[in-house]
Amino acid sequence: MSYELNYTVGSIPLDKLKPKKVRKNIELTLWERLYIPEIARGMIVTTRHFIVNMVGFIFPPEGKKRKIFTVYYPEEKLTIHVAYRGRPVLVQREDGKEKCIACGLCERICPAFAISIIGGERQRGNDMERYPVSYTLDMSRCVYCGLCEEVCPYEAIVMSNEYEGLAEYDRENMIYPKEKLLVPVAKLQKRIEYVRKIYGKSNYDLRNMI
Amino acid sequence: MFAELIEAIAKILFIFGVNMGFFAPILGWVERKQSAVMQDRIGANRADILGFTLIGLLHPLTDTIKILTKEDFIPAGANKLFHTLAPFISLTPALITFAVIPFGGQYEIFGHRVNLVIADLDVGILFIFAFASLATYGSVLAGWSSNNNWSFLGGLRAAAQMLSYEVAMGLSIIGIIMVYGSLKLTEIGAMQVDLFKWGIFLQPVGFILFLTCAIAENKRVPFDIPEAETEIVAGYFTEYSSMKFIMFWMAEFLEVVTISGIVTTLFLGAWHLPFVSGEKLLSLFGFAGPNLSIVLLMLTNIATFFAKVIFFIWLQMTIRWTLPRFRYDQIMKLGWKIILPLALINIFITGLVMLLK
């Protein structure tokens, strides 16, 4: 069975690409067994890297500080993509209350048993609504898997892009109460939209549900 | 008499200062930084004084301060005397061998004869070999006296490897001694005025064999089975800390310098510039008067010598960060079955050519 491929690799058309030769015979040739030329070849490779990188230090390429991709962490930071799973946070509505309805799905799915919720009810307009009286996230157990975010039907818990300041000297400080988890919804809009896309929640009519 | 004393002290201080004050700390930095740049990394550059990092040059300083304040630990069951003695035995030969390496030739300055070598021995090369062999005892003693399995294995490997390569190294140098007809390093250096009389052209095989053996003797990658980090922790100096640990490292770095010095003297024309003779340089410096022009010539030659030494240090560092480690049996095979016969053949051919000429 044959089929035609007419895409390109980089800028080279496929039919002009040479197939890579695979050496079936792993016996060394005499030239390789002499060893000295092969050492020289290896040293040329490392020296080329050395020279290219040194030139890259002195004359950095356009728009970059250096040719080497290393990032000096505390001074320079990577731009975090929206797919990054930082610490989980509770979404805070515009009126300052939490979006969570204390259904307990996240508590149930959490593989590390990091979440514990105590639910309650409160007045909202003419209706009653459920809310978490206490929502505790044990950050010493959290594995940043994002299952809580995936399972949440109300987009009430999402993974933020925060990854700093999470280490503590005391385990007591790593148990996050509800107040520490709440983040205004405006800050999390990008992630919420992303979550709708990847978990197929876009067909939920969420505005009616809340 | 008095002038000679001052001259001797000045030379000793110069070599000691260059080795201990410049090469030993700088090589640690070079090894880190060069390996980093070769591997597309940045390397150590975080130590700073008032925000100035000087591309990591302050790291040797901070390392020294750290090392000096560390606990000097001797493990239980170790032989205290030998455990303490071993790093000194390692370091001393590395320091002493540079005494017979000429670093600039002979000059007449202000009616005083200056020979730029600390000890102009008639048996210069033999002296180097004798002391380099003593360094083996340092490694073996360190490995044995630490009372640690890894150290012991490292010591055994060091003994086997260094004794094997001692033989091959001795034989690889015979060719060059035959060609120049002297064991005196100053004479060998003085004979390499012309570019095509450099040892590397007269003895190319001897050069490669000697460099290989010298790196093996120094226990650096690819011949670092005595310290093989991935196999036996740190080999013979696993149980060392504080200053004693750094003494092993200093010995290794100084041996790199010494090897470069020997190779430069024997194979790379010692202190002579290629294509430019001493007389030509002297006429070039003629504007400075008869005495000062000789001083300038001397400084040029010293600079040439150390430039060559630095080139060889760079070469050894590149080899160290390019090649993977040999296996133990491969090292033994290379030493006994390849380098030793090649060295013997080299001697034979050299003798034949000299006889027929």
Side-chain angles (χ1 to χ4, degrees), chain B residues 247-283:
Chain B
M247 277 166 87
F248 279 114
W249 275 106
M250 229 146 62
E252 190 178 316
F253 286 141
L254 289 179
E255 270 172 35
V256 171
V257 182
T258 311
I259 288 166
S260 304
I262 299 166
V263 171
T264 307
T265 311
L266 292 180
F267 294 100
L268 219 78
W271 56 86
H272 299 292
L273 270 174
F275 304 117
V276 184
S277 65
E279 290 81 38
K280 210 171 172 185
L281 272 177
L282 211 55
S283 63

Side-chain angles (χ1 to χ4, degrees), chain A residues 46 49 53 68 70 72 75, chain B residues 37 40-42 45-46 322:
Chain A
T46 44
H49 272 260
N53 288 329
I68 290 170
T70 312
Y72 288 151
E75 294 98 41
Chain B
V37 177
D40 300 351
R41 294 183 287 114
I42 289 172
N45 64 350
R46 283 296 156 135
T322 302

Side-chain angles (χ1 to χ4, degrees), chain A:
Chain A
M1 196 181 132
S2 70
Y3 48 90
E4 246 176 65
L5 292 167
N6 55 356
Y7 56 84
T8 57
V9 177
S11 58
I12 313 161
L14 198 73
D15 54 328
K16 287 215 176 142
L17 268 182
K18 279 175 195 161
K20 274 200 172 167
K21 269 186 195 166
V22 179
R23 261 176 68 184
K24 298 266 170 61
N25 183 12
I26 54 162
E27 289 280 306
L28 297 180
T29 59
L30 180 68
W31 182 253
E32 283 164 344
R33 253 183 294 154
L34 278 177
Y35 207 68
I36 303 286
E38 291 296 303
I39 291 177
R41 219 155 64 94
M43 279 170 67
I44 286 168
V45 171
T46 44
T47 311
R48 193 176 60 222
H49 272 260
F50 181 80
I51 292 165
V52 166
N53 288 329
M54 281 313 278
V55 171
F57 273 121
I58 300 159
F59 307 106
E62 282 288 314
K64 276 171 81 183
K65 277 191 174 173
R66 65 190 83 83
K67 196 172 182 308
I68 290 170
F69 290 97
T70 312
V71 173
Y72 288 151
Y73 164 59
E75 294 98 41
E76 304 169 12
K77 280 171 189 168
L78 291 169
T79 44
I80 303 293
H81 192 262
V82 70
Y84 185 82
R85 293 201 301 266
R87 77 175 177 106
V89 291
L90 285 176
V91 180
Q92 194 178 23
R93 288 196 312 238
E94 277 89 352
D95 61 354
K97 302 263 172 59
E98 57 282 335
K99 223 173 179 180
C100 177
I101 56 153
C103 65
L105 279 177
C106 50
E107 190 180 13
R108 178 74 185 79
I109 197 116
C110 183
F113 306 112
I115 302 170
S116 45
I117 309 170
I118 299 169
E121 286 187 357
R122 71 182 168 201
Q123 195 80 26
R124 186 190 184 194
N126 297 327
D127 304 326
M128 298 291 281
E129 71 165 358
R130 281 179 57 79
Y131 80 105
V133 178
S134 92
Y135 191 108
T136 327
L137 178 58
D138 191 345
M139 286 304 288
S140 63
R141 308 190 100 185
C142 181
V143 293
Y144 300 85
C145 62
L147 283 177
C148 48
E149 175 192 48
E150 184 177 350
V151 82
C152 183
Y154 276 81
E155 295 177 340
I157 184 164
V158 292
M159 311 299 279
S160 69
N161 59 3
E162 290 170 38
Y163 57 92
E164 283 176 317
L166 296 171
E168 296 279 356
Y169 287 108
D170 195 345
R171 276 164 203 249
E172 294 297 313
N173 296 339
M174 297 192 82
I175 297 166
Y176 281 36
K178 190 171 71 181
E179 292 72 33
K180 237 177 157 179
L181 290 168
L182 281 172
V183 172
V185 67
K187 278 189 185 174
L188 301 166
Q189 206 56 52
K190 264 191 182 171
R191 177 72 188 182
I192 289 169
E193 274 158 28
Y194 176 73
V195 167
R196 278 181 198 161
K197 255 191 257 170
I198 58 162
Y199 297 135
K201 290 182 180 179
S202 49
N203 54 352
Y204 289 18
D205 195 356
L206 288 148
R207 259 152 289 167
N208 289 348
M209 288 167 84
I210 300 165

